Coordinates of all heavy atoms in Angstrom, one line a residue:
K6 N 127.2 82.4 79.0 CA 127.4 83.2 77.8 C 126.6 84.4 77.9 O 125.4 84.4 78.2 CB 126.9 82.4 76.6 CG 127.9 81.4 76.0 CD 127.5 81.0 74.6 CE 128.4 79.9 74.0 NZ 128.1 78.6 74.7
L7 N 127.3 85.6 77.6 CA 126.6 86.9 77.7 C 126.4 87.5 76.4 O 127.3 87.5 75.5 CB 127.4 87.8 78.6 CG 127.8 87.4 80.0 CD1 128.5 88.5 80.7 CD2 126.5 87.0 80.8
T8 N 125.2 88.0 76.1 CA 124.9 88.6 74.9 C 124.5 90.1 75.2 O 123.6 90.3 76.0 CB 123.7 87.9 74.2 OG1 124.0 86.5 74.1 CG2 123.4 88.5 72.8
I9 N 125.1 91.0 74.5 CA 124.8 92.4 74.8 C 123.3 92.8 74.4 O 122.8 92.4 73.4 CB 125.8 93.3 74.0 CG1 125.6 94.8 74.4 CG2 125.6 93.2 72.5 CD1 126.4 95.2 75.6
L10 N 122.7 93.5 75.4 CA 121.3 94.0 75.2 C 121.4 95.5 75.0 O 120.7 96.0 74.1 CB 120.4 93.7 76.4 CG 119.8 92.3 76.5 CD1 119.0 92.2 77.8 CD2 119.0 91.9 75.3
F11 N 122.1 96.2 75.9 CA 122.2 97.6 75.8 C 123.7 98.0 76.1 O 124.3 97.6 77.1 CB 121.3 98.3 76.9 CG 119.9 98.0 76.7 CD1 119.3 97.1 77.6 CD2 119.1 98.5 75.7 CE1 118.0 96.7 77.5 CE2 117.8 98.1 75.5 CZ 117.2 97.3 76.4
T12 N 124.2 98.8 75.1 CA 125.6 99.3 75.3 C 125.7 100.4 76.3 O 124.7 101.0 76.7 CB 126.1 99.9 74.0 OG1 125.4 101.0 73.6 CG2 126.0 98.9 72.8
R13 N 126.9 100.7 76.7 CA 127.1 101.8 77.7 C 126.5 103.1 77.2 O 125.9 103.9 77.9 CB 128.6 101.9 77.9 CG 129.0 103.1 78.9 CD 128.6 102.8 80.3 NE 128.0 104.0 80.8 CZ 128.5 104.6 81.9 NH1 129.5 104.2 82.5 NH2 127.8 105.7 82.3
D14 N 126.7 103.3 75.9 CA 126.2 104.6 75.3 C 124.6 104.6 75.3 O 124.0 105.7 75.6 CB 126.6 104.7 73.8 CG 128.1 105.1 73.7 OD1 128.7 105.4 74.8 OD2 128.6 105.1 72.6
E15 N 124.0 103.5 75.1 CA 122.5 103.4 75.1 C 122.0 103.7 76.6 O 121.0 104.3 76.8 CB 122.0 102.1 74.6 CG 122.2 102.0 73.1 CD 121.9 100.5 72.6 OE1 122.3 99.6 73.2 OE2 121.3 100.4 71.5
I16 N 122.8 103.1 77.5 CA 122.4 103.3 78.9 C 122.6 104.8 79.3 O 121.7 105.4 79.9 CB 123.2 102.4 79.8 CG1 122.9 100.9 79.5 CG2 123.0 102.7 81.3 CD1 123.9 99.9 80.2
T17 N 123.7 105.4 78.9 CA 123.9 106.8 79.2 C 122.8 107.7 78.6 O 122.3 108.6 79.3 CB 125.3 107.2 78.6 OG1 126.3 106.4 79.1 CG2 125.6 108.7 78.8
A18 N 122.4 107.4 77.4 CA 121.3 108.2 76.8 C 120.0 108.0 77.7 O 119.2 108.9 77.9 CB 121.0 107.7 75.4
T19 N 119.8 106.8 78.1 CA 118.6 106.5 78.9 C 118.6 107.2 80.3 O 117.6 107.8 80.7 CB 118.5 104.9 79.2 OG1 118.4 104.3 77.9 CG2 117.2 104.6 80.0
V20 N 119.8 107.2 80.9 CA 119.9 107.8 82.2 C 119.7 109.3 82.0 O 119.1 110.0 82.9 CB 121.3 107.5 82.9 CG1 121.5 108.2 84.2 CG2 121.4 106.0 83.1
K21 N 120.2 109.9 80.9 CA 120.0 111.3 80.7 C 118.5 111.7 80.5 O 118.1 112.7 81.0 CB 120.8 111.7 79.4 CG 122.2 112.1 79.6 CD 122.8 112.7 78.3 CE 124.3 112.8 78.5 NZ 125.1 112.8 77.3
K22 N 117.8 110.8 79.8 CA 116.4 111.0 79.6 C 115.6 111.0 80.9 O 114.8 111.8 81.2 CB 115.8 109.9 78.6 CG 114.4 110.1 78.3 CD 113.7 108.7 77.9 CE 113.3 108.0 79.2 NZ 112.4 106.8 79.0
L23 N 116.0 110.0 81.7 CA 115.3 109.9 83.1 C 115.7 111.1 83.9 O 114.8 111.6 84.6 CB 115.8 108.6 83.8 CG 115.3 107.3 83.1 CD1 116.0 106.1 83.7 CD2 113.7 107.2 83.3
A24 N 116.9 111.5 83.9 CA 117.4 112.7 84.7 C 116.6 113.9 84.3 O 116.2 114.7 85.2 CB 118.9 112.9 84.6
A25 N 116.4 114.1 83.0 CA 115.6 115.3 82.5 C 114.2 115.2 83.1 O 113.6 116.3 83.5 CB 115.6 115.3 81.0
E26 N 113.6 114.1 83.0 CA 112.2 113.9 83.6 C 112.1 114.2 85.1 O 111.2 114.9 85.6 CB 111.7 112.5 83.3 CG 111.4 112.2 81.8 CD 111.0 110.7 81.6 OE1 110.6 110.0 82.5 OE2 111.2 110.3 80.4
I27 N 113.1 113.6 85.8 CA 113.1 113.8 87.2 C 113.4 115.2 87.6 O 112.8 115.8 88.5 CB 114.2 112.8 87.8 CG1 113.7 111.4 87.7 CG2 114.5 113.1 89.3 CD1 114.7 110.3 87.9
R28 N 114.3 115.9 86.9 CA 114.6 117.3 87.1 C 113.4 118.1 87.0 O 113.1 119.0 87.8 CB 115.7 117.7 86.1 CG 116.1 119.1 86.3 CD 117.2 119.5 85.3 NE 118.0 120.6 85.9 CZ 117.5 121.8 86.0 NH1 116.3 122.1 85.5 NH2 118.2 122.7 86.5
Q29 N 112.6 117.9 85.9 CA 111.4 118.6 85.7 C 110.4 118.6 86.8 O 109.8 119.6 87.2 CB 110.7 118.0 84.4 CG 109.4 118.6 84.0 CD 109.7 119.7 83.0 OE1 110.8 119.9 82.5 NE2 108.7 120.5 82.8
D30 N 110.3 117.4 87.4 CA 109.3 117.2 88.5 C 109.8 117.5 89.9 O 109.0 117.7 90.8 CB 108.8 115.7 88.5 CG 108.1 115.4 87.2 OD1 107.8 116.3 86.4 OD2 107.9 114.2 86.9
Y31 N 111.1 117.4 90.1 CA 111.7 117.5 91.5 C 112.6 118.6 91.8 O 113.1 118.8 92.9 CB 112.4 116.2 91.8 CG 111.5 115.0 92.1 CD1 111.2 114.1 91.0 CD2 110.9 114.8 93.3 CE1 110.3 113.0 91.3 CE2 110.1 113.7 93.6 CZ 109.8 112.8 92.5 OH 109.0 111.8 92.7
Q32 N 112.9 119.5 90.8 CA 113.9 120.5 91.1 C 113.6 121.5 92.2 O 114.6 122.0 92.8 CB 114.2 121.3 89.8 CG 113.1 121.9 89.2 CD 113.4 122.6 87.8 OE1 114.5 123.2 87.7 NE2 112.6 122.5 86.8
D33 N 112.4 121.7 92.5 CA 112.0 122.6 93.7 C 111.6 121.8 94.9 O 111.0 122.4 95.8 CB 110.9 123.5 93.2 CG 111.3 124.3 92.0 OD1 112.5 124.8 92.0 OD2 110.5 124.5 91.1
K34 N 111.7 120.5 94.9 CA 111.1 119.7 96.0 C 112.1 119.1 97.0 O 111.7 118.4 97.9 CB 110.3 118.5 95.3 CG 109.1 119.0 94.6 CD 108.1 117.9 94.3 CE 106.8 118.4 93.8 NZ 106.3 117.7 92.6
H35 N 113.4 119.3 96.8 CA 114.4 118.7 97.7 C 114.1 117.3 98.0 O 113.9 116.9 99.2 CB 114.6 119.6 98.9 CG 115.8 119.3 99.7 ND1 116.5 120.3 100.4 CD2 116.5 118.2 99.9 CE1 117.6 119.7 101.0 NE2 117.6 118.5 100.7
P36 N 114.1 116.4 97.0 CA 113.6 115.0 97.2 C 114.7 114.2 97.9 O 115.9 114.6 98.0 CB 113.4 114.5 95.8 CG 114.4 115.3 95.0 CD 114.4 116.7 95.6
I37 N 114.3 113.0 98.4 CA 115.2 112.0 98.9 C 115.1 110.9 97.9 O 114.0 110.3 97.7 CB 114.8 111.5 100.3 CG1 114.7 112.7 101.3 CG2 115.8 110.5 100.8 CD1 114.4 112.2 102.7
L38 N 116.2 110.5 97.3 CA 116.3 109.4 96.3 C 116.7 108.2 97.1 O 117.8 108.2 97.8 CB 117.3 109.7 95.2 CG 116.7 110.4 94.0 CD1 116.0 111.7 94.4 CD2 117.8 110.6 92.9
I39 N 115.9 107.2 97.1 CA 116.2 106.0 97.9 C 116.6 104.8 97.0 O 115.7 104.3 96.3 CB 115.1 105.6 98.9 CG1 114.8 106.8 99.8 CG2 115.4 104.3 99.7 CD1 113.7 106.5 100.8

Side-chain angles (χ1 to χ4, degrees):
K6 279 200 186 68
L7 304 183
T8 307
I9 187 88
L10 280 179
F11 301 104
T12 64
R13 177 68 225 246
D14 285 352
E15 288 169 321
I16 296 168
T17 300
T19 300
V20 178
K21 274 188 188 156
K22 183 206 81 167
L23 291 170
E26 290 173 20
I27 291 166
R28 182 175 204 291
Q29 180 86 14
D30 297 346
Y31 285 94
Q32 55 186 320
D33 301 320
K34 292 193 168 136
H35 196 145
I37 305 181
L38 273 56
I39 303 182

